Amino acid sequence: MPSPVRTTAAALVVAAVAATILTGCSSGGSPTPDGHPSTAIVTGPSSTPTPVPSAFSTAVPQVRATVPPAVRVAAPSRIAVDWAGVRAEVRPEGVDDRGGMSLPPDPAVAGWYRYGAAPASTTGTVVIAAHVDAVGYGVGPFAHLRDVPAGTTVTLTDTAGDRTRWRIDSVALVAKRGLPWASVFRTDGPRRLVLVSCGGVFDEATHHYESNLIISATPA
C-alpha cells in the first residue's frame, strides 16, 4: 500500500529522517468533522502564535484555535497531480483535541491546514494531507503518490477559481517516530507545498501505518 521537507524545499526531507513525534493515519474511519470554513485564515503578527500540530491524527473532533484572523485569502478547494490521475477535493482543517492536524475521514478528500499558508500566500508552507485508505471508503488518490517522480506538476485550485502550479522536488517515505513537524508547518520562509499521507508497513496492533509519505514542491 503506498504512502509519505527543510527550511528550503530539499533540506527538510533530510531533517525529517531525524526527530521524534508519532503521527497517525489509520485504515479505520473517523467521524465527520464539524464545520469547514470556505476561506482560509492566514494570521499576521500576533501575540497568539499559530498552532503547530504535533502530528496528523485520526481523531477528527476539532478544537477551535484561538488565532485572531488578520488576512482572509482563498482556501484551496481542489488538487490535481499529473501522475496516476490523482485528483481530490480539499477542505480546510484545523487542530484536533489530541493536538494533531484534523483530517477528513474520507481518503478521497484531502485536508488543508488552515492556520498555515494558503496557495496565494507569499511565504510559508501550504500543507495538504489525506489518509491512504479507510474502512468504509476504500483506497484514496494519495495512495498513488508513492512513486510520483520529481518534476511532476501539482495544480491547486482555490475557492476564488485561481490556480497555482507547483513542481515536486522531493519524495520521501519517513518513519513516523522521527518527523520534525514544526519544520513542516511554517508560515515563514520560502513558498512551498508539502503533501502528506501514510505508507510503509501497516501495524495490525496499532492500526496505523509506520511511515509518512512526505512530498515537497516549489512554485512552478
Side-chain angles (χ1 to χ4, degrees), residues 34-61:
D34 60 346
H36 295 293
S38 61
T39 56
I41 300 177
V42 178
T43 60
S46 167
S47 58
T48 305
T50 299
V52 175
S54 61
F56 287 89
S57 175
T58 56
V60 175

Side-chain angles (χ1 to χ4, degrees), residues 73-213:
V73 294
S77 59
R78 300 288 302 175
I79 183 171
V81 184
D82 290 343
W83 174 257
V86 172
R87 303 285 187 276
E89 177 186 350
V90 180
R91 296 179 183 173
E93 293 287 350
V95 179
D96 65 27
D97 58 358
R98 297 183 183 181
M101 176 180 169
S102 298
L103 293 180
D106 185 349
V109 181
W112 163 65
Y113 186 59
R114 63 192 178 102
Y115 298 118
S121 299
T122 58
T123 61
T125 302
V126 182
V127 179
I128 295 179
H131 291 302
V132 169
D133 55 20
V135 174
Y137 293 100
V139 176
F142 274 37
H144 302 291
L145 292 177
R146 179 184 61 183
D147 300 317
V148 63
T152 300
T153 299
V154 180
T155 302
L156 296 181
T157 304
D158 66 24
T159 53
D162 294 327
R163 295 181 179 181
T164 55
R165 288 179 172 82
W166 311 75
R167 182 169 291 106
I168 292 174
D169 56 19
S170 64
V171 180
L173 188 63
V174 182
K176 289 183 177 180
R177 60 179 177 272
L179 279 167
W181 291 117
S183 298
V184 175
F185 292 90
R186 293 191 57 171
T187 55
D188 60 352
R191 288 180 69 213
R192 62 192 178 97
L193 168 68
V194 173
L195 308 180
V196 183
S197 192
C198 289
V201 176
F202 182 76
D203 188 327
E204 295 288 349
T206 64
H207 300 289
H208 293 305
Y209 287 93
E210 294 182 353
S211 302
N212 277 122
L213 179 68

